[in-house]
Amino acid sequence: MMALKMLRVCRGSILSGCKTCTVRIGREELANGLKYFSTRINEGEPDTICEIVKYWSNRFENEGISEPVESIEHILTHVLGSKKRYSSNTVIQTMDLADAPEQRLSLDQITKLQSLCQCRMSRMPVQYIIGEWDFRDITLKLVPPVFIPRPETEILVDIALRRMAEAKNSHYIVLDIGCGSGAISLALVHSSNQIATSQIQCTSVDKSLYACELTRQNAEILGLQDKLRIVNAALRENGTIKSLNDSHPGVDFDQQQFDIIISNPPYIPTEKLMELAPEIKIYEDLRALDGGKDGLSLIKAVLRYASIALIPRGLLFMEVDPTHPEYIEFFTKKYTDLKLKFEHTYKDYCNNDRFVELSKLD
């Protein structure tokens, strides 16, 4: 093993078999090289891309870490100053790790990688470790405990954009209830700017001040701050929205009308929260997941608010638990005073009933 490590340090004519060449190196270079070599021997840690992926994916798997290979790939590309991007349909890598399996990391890079991998061993989600994540065609800054947007929520955005395109209106006033990192509202606004067929002005609300601040930061990073109004406000179970500070005194949620309301509300029953993965229970804000006794507390509140805040023929889109669409349809038929019509259920990537669309009756 010692000889193998020495061969990896020695290069050039030494590897070609020349025994008489003299290599002149400076004192500083020698000290750094010995420091690096000593660290490698003492720790026995891998230093090439191929070795690192194999070593850490095995360690993650042995510790029961979910997606072990993907975890180390994301961490590694982050340490290398590159990026591995996800979208709903494709995986795009600005650096393909397979193209440089023997590339070595510097001592500083290995130190940083080890530190980040230890965070993953502590079950910290990769999104928090690298501090960002892709959602559709935008990159979002992410910090704990703000809710991490899931890939399936991209479908919710796709559905809303498709319905907007079909309606062919030139302008939409949109409300995003429970904005979190701003994923949904920023993806909508960004897409409307790219397509330029209609303009979207979005109001994003969240009861978490941390979430509102993160949404604001992401809007500024993306240059979309002029298209977004962010309000620290809470949706109450009676279907009203109350501002929690005076940052937007001009927003009257009792009078404001919207063309579209979109939301990924908490929908996990309280008793099931402790069954979630450690990555979620330890690091994410469980208030963004807790849907009450039956998982429907906030969903009912969204329905009540939509009944008064949507314009006639306005649309409501929600992400829900697969058991909820049937109840939501029953709820709207039972309480006809809401004047909401259940339009459609949409599937997620696993063919579960995950998204619902409702309209406001004239």
Side-chain angles (χ1 to χ4, degrees):
M1 190 67 176
M2 181 69 72
L4 178 61
K5 298 297 182 184
M6 182 62 74
L7 283 176
R8 286 179 176 172
V9 174
C10 300
R11 295 198 176 187
S13 57
I14 296 177
L15 292 179
S16 67
C18 176
K19 299 180 181 180
T20 59
C21 78
T22 302
V23 180
R24 298 182 181 274
I25 59 174
R27 186 171 297 173
E28 182 178 351
E29 289 85 350
L30 178 60
N32 289 337
L34 289 174
K35 179 182 177 182
Y36 173 76
F37 182 58
S38 175
T39 302
R40 292 281 288 110
I41 293 176
N42 293 334
E43 297 185 3
E45 294 282 349
D47 67 343
T48 67
I49 287 176
C50 181
E51 291 173 335
I52 288 169
V53 171
K54 182 178 180 180
Y55 174 81
W56 280 106
S57 62
N58 286 336
R59 282 200 63 180
F60 290 158
E61 185 174 12
N62 291 338
E63 292 295 326
I65 305 295
S66 63
E67 299 182 326
V69 176
E70 292 81 358
S71 294
I72 184 56
E73 285 181 346
H74 282 292
I75 293 172
L76 184 53
T77 50
H78 174 71
V79 169
L80 292 172
S82 185
K83 184 178 180 182
K84 179 174 180 175
R85 299 187 56 208
Y86 268 120
S87 72
S88 59
N89 299 317
T90 58
V91 177
I92 306 168
Q93 289 178 261
T94 56
M95 175 183 180
D96 192 341
L97 299 178
D99 289 342
E102 297 304 317
Q103 177 180 330
R104 283 182 170 78
L105 275 66
S106 68
L107 179 59
D108 287 342
Q109 288 174 326
I110 290 177
T111 301
K112 182 178 180 180
L113 181 126
Q114 290 172 341
S115 176
L116 297 183
C117 285
Q118 289 303 323
C119 290
R120 188 71 187 103
M121 293 285 281
S122 298
R123 297 303 185 99
M124 179 179 285
V126 170
Q127 293 89 337
Y128 290 153
I129 293 173
I130 66 177
E132 65 178 21
W133 202 249
D134 291 317
F135 184 83
R136 294 191 89 251
D137 49 359
I138 60 176
T139 300
L140 299 166
K141 176 182 177 181
L142 290 177
V143 294
V146 179
F147 183 72
I148 298 170
R150 271 52 173 182
E152 60 266 22
T153 306
E154 295 184 8
I155 301 176
L156 182 66
V157 176
D158 292 338
I159 294 167
L161 286 171
R162 184 167 65 248
R163 297 291 283 117
M164 286 186 225
E166 291 170 358
K168 298 180 180 179
N169 294 338
S170 60
H171 189 73
Y172 291 95
I173 305 298
V174 178
L175 174 65
D176 176 14
I177 299 177
C179 60
S181 62
I184 292 174
S185 49
L186 289 171
L188 286 171
V189 172
H190 181 266
S191 294
S192 72
N193 284 355
Q194 297 294 107
I195 301 172
T197 55
S198 60
Q199 292 300 309
I200 296 175
Q201 188 68 42
C202 192
T203 298
S204 302
V205 303
D206 202 294
K207 66 180 179 181
S208 167
L209 189 59
Y210 295 108
C212 291
E213 178 56 30
L214 185 58
T215 296
R216 183 172 290 105
Q217 291 179 26
N218 280 322
E220 291 174 353
I221 292 170
L222 295 166
L224 299 173
Q225 62 271 25
D226 294 337
K227 300 287 186 179
L228 213 62
R229 181 170 57 175
I230 304 163
V231 185
N232 181 207
L235 173 68
R236 296 173 169 179
E237 290 192 13
N238 64 1
T240 61
I241 295 179
K242 180 175 176 55
S243 296
L244 300 179
N245 58 51
D246 298 326
S247 60
H248 286 279
V251 181
D252 186 351
F253 288 103
D254 293 331
Q255 300 295 325
Q256 179 77 54
Q257 295 283 286
F258 299 96
D259 301 300
I260 289 174
I261 295 177
I262 190 166
S263 181
N264 179 13
Y267 57 74
I268 297 176
T270 303
E271 65 179 13
K272 292 187 177 181
L273 291 176
M274 290 302 102
E275 300 175 12
L276 298 174
E279 286 85 347
I280 300 172
K281 290 188 295 186
I282 298 172
Y283 294 97
E284 292 193 74
D285 187 351
L286 292 183
R287 293 176 300 175
L289 297 161
D290 188 354
K293 184 177 180 180
D294 55 5
L296 287 161
S297 295
L298 272 296
I299 290 174
K300 293 176 183 177
V302 173
L303 292 171
R304 294 187 183 103
Y305 183 73
S307 71
I308 62 172
L310 278 176
I311 65 169
R313 300 185 184 181
L315 297 175
L316 167 63
F317 301 96
M318 284 192 295
E319 179 176 328
V320 297
D321 183 85
T323 63
H324 290 160
E326 184 177 356
Y327 175 83
I328 294 171
E329 184 173 10
F330 166 80
F331 189 81
T332 56
K333 288 180 178 179
K334 179 178 180 180
Y335 297 99
T336 56
D337 58 313
L338 295 176
K339 294 185 178 181
L340 292 174
K341 179 184 177 184
F342 189 92
E343 295 284 355
H344 199 71
T345 300
Y346 300 90
K347 304 285 188 179
D348 63 14
Y349 296 126
C350 297
N351 204 37
N352 294 316
D353 292 336
R354 182 66 64 184
F355 313 99
V356 295
E357 175 186 344
L358 297 92
S359 64
K360 176 70 179 294
L361 297 174
D362 291 333

